[in-house]
């Protein structure tokens, strides 16, 4: 009788166990944030490449950054945030927001992207350590989330600049 009861319980539990969620993949937290960053990174870089060099000085109004300054700002922020995540000093030798040449700005952006690519490859365990950033202590994961959000925030600005110039931004090109 005991074996019958065990068999019945096993048969009843099998469908429930089969529906149990699978264990999260290794580094699921950083991986999920990396996918957001990767999209923003790609859009900002594609927009920077798409904008003609003679339009890098364009600004919709005198109270906002030029297109080049906006892209340079993204490069500066990425360099600072991702270097902090890695426990490194920022490698930006100069303020990318002060650059005016398209090629130099894109080079600075690519250099910052390379730092961030390394930062978004850390483990979930490493992402839980505390880092100092902009005068506050936060987890490395929070810094990565902040960076991805910051990139998308300014990509939204970039979209507006491009639309004013009659251009279709990368995220609307259907690729």
């Amino acid at each position: 009788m005991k074996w019958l009861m065990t068999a019945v319980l096993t048969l009843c539990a099998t469908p429930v166990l089969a529906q149990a969620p699978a264990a999260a993949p290794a580094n699921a937290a950083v991986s999920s944030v990396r996918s957001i960053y990767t999209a923003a990174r790609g859009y900002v870089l594609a927009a920077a490449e798409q904008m003609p060099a003679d339009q890098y000085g364009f600004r919709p109004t005198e109270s906002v950054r030029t297109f080049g300054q906006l892209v340079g700002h993204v490069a500066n922020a990425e360099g600072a945030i991702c270097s902090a995540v890695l426990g490194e000093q920022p490698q930006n030798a100069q303020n990318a927001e002060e650059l005016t040449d398209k090629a130099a700005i894109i080079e600075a952006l690519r250099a910052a992207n390379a730092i961030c690519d390394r930062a978004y490859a850390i483990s979930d365990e490493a992402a839980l350590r505390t880092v100092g950033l902009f005068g506050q202590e936060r987890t490395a994961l929070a810094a990565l989330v902040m960076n991805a959000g910051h990139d998308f925030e300014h990509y939204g600005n970039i979209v507006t600049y491009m639309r004013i110039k009659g251009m279709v931004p990368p995220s609307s090109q259907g690729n």
Side-chain angles (χ1 to χ4, degrees):
M1 187 66 159
K2 199 173 194 179
W3 69 268
L4 183 58
M5 186 63 103
T6 301
V8 169
L9 288 174
T10 301
L11 288 173
C12 291
T14 300
V16 173
L17 292 174
Q19 294 176 19
N27 301 319
V30 174
S31 179
S32 64
V33 176
R34 180 176 44 247
S35 67
I36 296 166
Y37 159 72
T38 301
R41 172 195 190 278
Y43 290 149
V44 172
L45 182 58
E49 291 170 340
Q50 185 180 338
M51 183 65 80
D54 66 347
Q55 295 301 309
Y56 265 61
F58 168 70
R59 69 175 85 214
T61 179
E62 287 302 312
S63 64
V64 298
R65 293 176 173 108
T66 66
F67 182 85
Q69 289 170 331
L70 187 53
V71 175
H73 172 74
V74 171
N76 288 342
E78 279 194 3
I81 295 168
C82 291
S83 291
V85 166
L86 294 169
E88 301 173 357
Q89 291 298 314
Q91 297 175 9
N92 300 5
Q94 59 186 2
N95 180 351
E97 206 169 325
E98 295 175 353
L99 301 172
T100 55
D101 178 66
K102 175 181 177 174
I105 294 168
I106 290 176
E107 181 180 327
L109 181 60
R110 287 182 185 277
N113 290 166
I115 296 166
C116 283
D117 290 348
R118 290 189 301 117
Y120 282 92
I122 66 172
S123 68
D124 280 0
E125 182 179 349
L128 294 178
R129 69 181 165 68
T130 302
V131 299
L133 185 63
F134 305 128
Q136 296 181 347
E137 294 292 315
R138 63 189 81 226
T139 64
L141 183 61
L144 292 173
V145 169
M146 179 179 163
N147 182 71
H150 183 261
D151 281 3
F152 261 123
E153 172 187 355
H154 288 299
Y155 177 66
N157 300 136
I158 289 169
V159 166
T160 301
Y161 285 40
M162 294 181 83
R163 293 284 188 195
I164 290 170
K165 288 296 182 181
M167 301 173 72
V168 178
S171 55
S172 295
Q173 292 177 8
N175 296 333

